[in-house]
Amino acid sequence: MSELNFHLLEENIRMLMEKNNMTQQKLAEITGMTQANISKALNHNEKKRFTLDQVYRISQYFEVSIDSLVGNPSEKLADTSPRDAFTFITKFLCAGNLRTENLTITETVYDPQYNGYGSPECTPKEIQDTYPVFFFPDYIRFSDQKLSEQEEIDLHIEFCSCGNSTRFQYLNEILKKMIPLISQYKDGDIPEEAFQMIVDGYLKQLPEK
């Protein structure tokens, strides 16, 4: 969520509290937070933020959608700009969390060609296009790190004792379940509130670190 969304979230929650004469202590009881953390989360100068679970509890209590709390109309999909995507991917790549591969697929392209009158004519054609693919690996490889010969031996011994699975292995299992559910949600087959409950349930199963 962007800083703008967090500011809108804070403002909307404060507005709902004022409208319903709610104290910070009452909101703390609803969200499972302390009153001190509520105060910080409602102050955009503080680094404390509401989690998705807490935002969901607030939306349920006030009977409003999460989209309305963060200022996004529920009927519109949130746009992801190329700049946002670049920032997100670069962050994970630099941290060594993502792996990359190239994937070549067949695409249908409507490439404009200009006729003798200067008017564009788009004729579909199939091309082979290659994309960079990013994924969280289930297992650690020696090649993921720059290691000396002795470090490789030590890591091999560690793998033999403890395995080489990553902390993202369970995330991948959940994503495999979520992807078809997201498609159903986008098609309107799953109501928004039900979908948020599913997301919330999976979030609770994932470690914070």
Side-chain angles (χ1 to χ4, degrees):
M1 189 185 300
S2 70
E3 283 300 310
L4 175 61
N5 287 127
F6 275 121
H7 291 169
L8 288 172
L9 173 64
E10 293 157 10
E11 291 174 6
N12 288 333
I13 291 175
R14 279 196 294 267
M15 183 176 65
L16 286 169
M17 291 175 66
E18 292 173 3
K19 183 178 179 181
N20 292 273
N21 297 315
M22 179 182 288
T23 63
Q24 289 188 359
Q25 183 57 45
K26 177 61 178 178
L27 188 63
E29 295 172 6
I30 294 169
T31 58
M33 301 168 68
T34 63
Q35 188 275 327
N37 279 338
I38 287 289
S39 179
K40 292 179 180 179
L42 290 172
N43 184 349
H44 66 265
N45 293 320
E46 296 282 351
K47 294 183 178 180
K48 179 66 178 176
R49 302 295 189 213
F50 290 103
T51 65
L52 180 58
D53 175 59
Q54 291 157 355
V55 173
Y56 176 72
R57 293 185 188 184
I58 293 170
S59 71
Q60 289 292 98
Y61 182 88
F62 289 112
E63 298 182 344
V64 297
S65 69
I66 291 177
D67 279 323
S68 67
L69 283 176
V70 298
N72 292 331
S74 59
E75 67 273 10
K76 294 182 180 179
L77 294 175
D79 291 329
T80 301
S81 70
R83 180 176 293 184
D84 290 338
F86 176 80
T87 301
F88 174 82
I89 293 171
T90 302
K91 175 183 176 182
F92 279 98
L93 285 173
C94 290
N97 293 323
L98 282 179
R99 242 183 239 160
T100 61
E101 296 287 348
N102 288 327
L103 175 67
T104 300
I105 61 175
T106 301
E107 294 276 31
T108 300
V109 179
Y110 287 77
D111 193 16
Q113 303 292 329
Y114 290 87
N115 58 30
Y117 300 99
S119 300
E121 294 179 353
C122 297
T123 303
K125 63 179 179 180
E126 290 190 346
I127 66 168
Q128 295 295 303
D129 205 359
T130 300
Y131 294 95
V133 177
F134 309 95
F135 61 95
F136 294 101
D138 283 342
Y139 303 101
I140 302 171
R141 300 182 303 192
F142 290 117
S143 58
D144 291 336
Q145 307 172 52
K146 188 175 182 180
L147 303 172
S148 66
E149 184 176 345
Q150 184 57 50
E151 287 173 331
E152 283 198 14
I153 294 173
D154 293 340
L155 190 59
H156 171 71
I157 294 173
E158 181 181 334
F159 286 168
C160 289
S161 301
C162 308
N164 67 328
S165 59
T166 70
R167 60 196 173 106
F168 295 108
Q169 190 174 40
Y170 188 53
L171 169 64
N172 286 330
E173 292 180 16
I174 289 179
L175 287 175
K176 291 173 186 176
K177 299 175 183 177
M178 277 299 301
I179 288 173
L181 294 176
I182 291 171
S183 295
Q184 293 178 46
Y185 168 68
K186 289 168 66 177
D187 290 340
D189 296 330
I190 299 178
E192 180 179 336
E193 298 302 330
F195 180 74
Q196 291 297 338
M197 290 181 66
I198 294 171
V199 172
D200 181 54
Y202 280 133
L203 275 175
K204 289 180 180 178
Q205 298 178 39
L206 291 169
E208 293 186 5
K209 298 182 178 180

